[in-house]
Amino acid sequence: MQTKWKRTKLLVGTLLTPKNARLVFHFGASCAPCVHGWTSRGFPVMELVPLSRSSIFAPPINRLQRRNNLKWKQSKPSVSRKAGIACAGAKPPRNSGVSSQESKRIENLYQKEGRRLLRLLEGLRSRASPEVCGEHHKYFAINGDVGLASIPKKVDEVAKVIIPGLSDDSGGSPISSCYWEWKPKISVHYEKSGSQNVDAPAVLFLPGFGVGSFHYEKQLEDLGRDYKVWALDFLGQGKSLPSEDPAPVDNREGDSEDNDVLWGFGEEPKPWARELVYSIDLWREQVQHFVEQVIGEPVYVVGNSLGGFVALYFAACNPQLVRGVTLLNATPFWGFLPNPVRSPRLSKFLSWSGTFPLPSNVRRLTQLVWEKISDPSSIQEVLKQVYADHSINVDKVFSHIIEITQHPAAAASFASIMFAPRGQLSFQEALSRCQVEGVPICLMYGREDPWVRPIWGFQVKRQLPEVPYYEISPAGHCPHDEVPEVINFLLRGWIKNLESQGSVSLPLLEEPDYVQYEILKELEYVKEGSHKSIKVRFLGSNFSFWNLIISSLKLRLVSLLASFR
């Protein structure tokens, strides 16, 4: 049956739609910030609905939208016609401050992409290529201009990039496990690789909460072939736990040492542990001294979850020690209690702020909570949540976490972390300071993260629109361990871009004309003898939340056209 078409006018232009369907708005379930007064629990999604479906009404058009409609009509966009398909191409704005030659080049680019879009829509209409309907081509709509990003050169061509997989066990760079005596009785565990790369940049990885340097073994083995690489255990986590009890229980009867006794549950702290509290300020100071005393040069800092917050905090306070910061699903907040420096009066009312020993009223609660969260079944459940791909082998990560929980200092360290005050800088303040100091930042977020959802990455992107943003799918809270091939590929490309002062393009940006908008690529690599594909979406400096709406419209349009076949 031949599909009949009609033109549907949008605020951003004219869209061709089937005559037996109409374009409507409805609220989706995705988390998105407030856009032009619409709710933050879901942004409006445009959908083509057959006329037989129940009526769904669009939100009323306000005055601003009417004005935009009027401006669009007055702009008289150029329209190309071919085989009954209309394509509205927006012309470059006048008086934009560009030369006539540059304006002509931009206009030619618009015409070129208009012809490509025309061929794409013609292929969709005639159903000549079955692969086209399954492609996810990304549209953008910015400042009233309509365009298309990441269009294949041919209608049936898939935007795919082949990247290298990880080397086998014998081909990776060897990893060394070391300890650094930072303060008396306080030893810091770290791992390093690539020491032979003397003239290469230094890269430091910071782990998330509850794990340690072992979580970056895939980066140490792979990136250690090209760079000098370190991974650090925060104090109170991983293997950076005290070697003796910071507040031992008074054993007056002289009984032999009981291995089941939890450390930090005594009455008086040891002199070296009187001011010890496992706070984000302590970790920021720990990273600073580690870079100064162990690495000895400015570094690229990469942090996942809690490690992302610490990396940003460290860079904001010590920009001279940082060459760049990469955030991997960074948590945008940490700590519940007020900081004594920022809120001295309020902090005085707190009876305990994470120091040793644990107060008597906290000890029993800590034991009950610790018994629950340190149970192997609870740890397995958490790993299922944070890894989007359940086929990933996490046995090694699981065994490392179990080993940490069995340390006698683990329970009291956990309580100290939970009751520690917030940092002197918030996440947003650290971002702003890094922006002022000119610290390069790169964002890499797993789309299927159940904890730090994509909305938090978008918030960072809104505050720093000029930084590159890579959204990876499918990937969860720990993309560096779930899809290390993709993360390592992107990290290499980003570091090369900075080291070359921009002469080497950012990863996935083979077409520099689209650097300010949105690009979708499919990365393919070999893993365990089979091919695996991951989608990566790049968001440029001019990305708008309207992109989400337009992208959603495109996906639904393609799906609807496929249903008519």
Side-chain angles (χ1 to χ4, degrees):
M1 179 179 177
Q2 183 72 17
T3 302
K4 296 182 178 180
W5 300 80
K6 65 179 180 180
R7 296 189 194 124
T8 301
K9 290 186 178 181
L10 302 177
L11 297 181
V12 292
T14 302
L15 180 70
L16 199 69
T17 60
K19 280 193 173 182
N20 62 341
R22 60 176 173 158
L23 192 67
V24 300
F25 289 82
H26 68 88
F27 287 88
S30 175
C31 292
C34 181
V35 181
H36 298 296
W38 293 334
T39 63
S40 61
R41 297 187 62 84
F43 58 85
V45 177
M46 289 181 279
E47 180 180 11
L48 283 171
V49 180
L51 293 180
S52 60
R53 286 181 50 176
S54 59
S55 177
I56 304 176
F57 295 97
I61 300 178
N62 56 32
R63 295 181 179 176
L64 178 60
Q65 290 172 321
R66 290 195 183 97
R67 191 182 309 122
N68 289 338
N69 271 327
L70 180 60
K71 289 182 179 179
W72 176 263
K73 292 178 181 179
Q74 294 174 348
S75 64
K76 298 181 179 180
S78 59
V79 179
S80 302
R81 301 182 183 272
K82 182 179 180 182
I85 298 179
C87 174
K91 295 181 179 180
R94 296 181 179 179
N95 301 326
S96 57
V98 297
S99 62
S100 59
Q101 183 178 2
E102 180 68 12
S103 177
K104 185 176 181 180
R105 189 189 69 82
I106 295 174
E107 185 173 358
N108 291 336
L109 178 63
Y110 271 90
Q111 293 176 357
K112 179 181 178 182
E113 299 309 329
R115 289 193 295 270
R116 289 185 181 182
L117 175 57
L118 194 64
R119 290 196 298 270
L120 174 62
L121 293 177
E122 178 67 22
L124 288 172
R125 182 185 179 187
S126 62
R127 306 173 184 86
S129 176
E131 290 83 1
V132 174
C133 295
E135 289 183 347
H136 296 261
H137 301 293
K138 294 297 180 178
Y139 291 81
F140 60 83
I142 299 171
N143 298 331
D145 294 336
V146 180
L148 178 67
S150 189
I151 309 177
K153 295 181 179 180
K154 299 179 181 179
V155 173
D156 58 350
E157 183 178 348
V158 178
K160 184 178 296 185
V161 178
I162 307 299
I163 65 173
L166 298 181
S167 303
D168 54 21
D169 295 337
S170 60
S173 178
I175 301 175
S176 302
S177 180
C178 311
Y179 282 90
W180 165 53
E181 194 75 18
W182 180 27
K183 296 180 179 181
K185 306 296 182 179
I186 298 180
S187 295
V188 174
H189 175 262
Y190 66 95
E191 295 182 347
K192 65 177 182 178
S193 181
S195 300
Q196 71 280 3
N197 304 318
V198 179
D199 297 326
V203 185
L204 174 62
F205 289 92
L206 303 180
F209 174 66
V211 293
S213 55
F214 62 84
H215 215 198
Y216 287 112
E217 287 184 356
K218 296 172 183 176
Q219 280 68 47
L220 292 169
E221 291 177 350
D222 184 26
L223 298 177
R225 297 179 299 170
D226 303 318
Y227 307 106
K228 296 171 292 190
V229 186
W230 287 264
L232 188 65
D233 288 7
F234 291 134
L235 286 173
Q237 302 185 62
K239 295 183 180 180
S240 294
L241 293 169
S243 56
E244 64 178 61
D245 195 337
V249 176
D250 188 11
N251 191 351
R252 298 181 182 276
E253 298 181 1
D255 294 338
S256 60
E257 183 179 355
D258 187 357
N259 293 329
D260 295 332
V261 173
L262 298 178
W263 290 4
F265 282 69
E267 299 297 334
E268 292 292 332
K270 290 292 188 70
W272 58 271
R274 290 189 184 277
E275 302 297 329
L276 179 62
V277 53
Y278 297 127
S279 67
I280 196 168
D281 281 309
L282 176 70
W283 297 326
R284 191 268 311 158
E285 183 184 3
Q286 173 191 351
V287 174
Q288 174 189 344
H289 291 171
F290 183 81
V291 172
E292 292 174 341
Q293 300 178 23
V294 179
I295 299 180
E297 62 178 288
V299 297
Y300 289 99
V301 192
V302 184
N304 170 237
S305 189
L306 167 63
F309 195 154
V310 177
L312 194 69
Y313 192 7
F314 159 68
C317 298
N318 305 276
Q320 75 282 0
L321 298 178
V322 178
R323 304 174 77 163
V325 176
T326 300
L327 303 182
L328 304 175
N329 290 73
T331 178
F333 40 79
W334 191 260
F336 304 100
L337 303 182
N339 185 277
V341 176
R342 300 190 60 163
S343 306
R345 295 183 179 179
L346 186 58
S347 61
K348 289 181 180 179
F349 291 98
L350 303 175
S351 58
W352 186 60
S353 58
T355 55
F356 294 95
L358 275 63
S360 57
N361 60 343
V362 178
R363 297 173 192 173
R364 181 56 182 167
L365 176 62
T366 299
Q367 287 179 317
L368 292 175
V369 174
W370 184 249
E371 288 176 3
K372 175 63 178 177
I373 65 173
S374 63
D375 184 81
S377 61
S378 299
I379 297 173
Q380 289 177 337
E381 184 62 29
V382 170
L383 291 176
K384 288 181 181 179
Q385 292 180 16
V386 298
Y387 284 78
D389 186 356
H390 293 167
S391 66
I392 300 295
N393 188 349
V394 295
D395 292 344
K396 200 170 183 179
V397 175
F398 175 77
S399 62
H400 279 298
I401 296 176
I402 291 295
E403 181 182 356
I404 295 171
T405 61
Q406 293 175 347
H407 195 285
S413 299
F414 167 78
S416 176
I417 293 172
M418 291 294 100
F419 285 88
R422 293 192 293 263
Q424 296 184 30
L425 291 180
S426 68
F427 188 84
Q428 289 71 26
E429 290 170 338
L431 275 176
S432 299
R433 186 174 292 188
C434 286
Q435 185 180 31
V436 171
E437 296 291 343
V439 177
I441 295 176
C442 184
L443 308 174
M444 302 180 190
Y445 281 71
R447 180 182 176 86
E448 286 72 31
D449 186 351
W451 293 353
V452 183
R453 295 180 180 272
I455 180 61
W456 298 111
F458 291 146
Q459 291 286 5
V460 177
K461 179 65 175 173
R462 290 182 69 184
Q463 186 171 346
L464 302 179
E466 71 280 0
V467 305
Y469 181 102
Y470 295 93
E471 183 184 78
I472 307 163
S473 180
H477 187 62
C478 311
H480 60 284
D481 191 50
E482 191 170 0
V483 285
E485 299 85 354
V486 175
I487 294 298
N488 294 357
F489 170 78
L490 296 177
L491 278 175
R492 276 192 173 96
W494 182 64
I495 292 176
K496 289 178 181 178
N497 172 261
L498 292 180
E499 291 295 308
S500 67
Q501 298 182 353
S503 62
V504 176
S505 298
L506 285 167
L508 307 183
L509 298 188
E510 294 84 0
E511 301 179 31
D513 290 333
Y514 298 131
V515 69
Q516 32 185 349
Y517 300 112
E518 178 184 4
I519 295 177
L520 178 68
K521 296 289 185 179
E522 184 177 354
L523 273 57
E524 184 175 293
Y525 54 92
V526 177
K527 185 169 187 173
E528 298 177 353
S530 60
H531 290 267
K532 187 171 182 178
S533 295
I534 299 292
K535 288 184 173 59
V536 178
R537 182 169 65 159
F538 171 85
L539 305 181
S541 59
N542 282 353
F543 172 77
S544 166
F545 280 96
W546 280 102
N547 290 65
L548 299 177
I549 301 174
I550 300 301
S551 297
S552 177
L553 169 63
K554 173 57 183 176
L555 295 179
R556 292 175 184 273
L557 175 61
V558 171
S559 177
L560 181 62
L561 292 177
S563 66
F564 290 156
R565 297 179 56 195

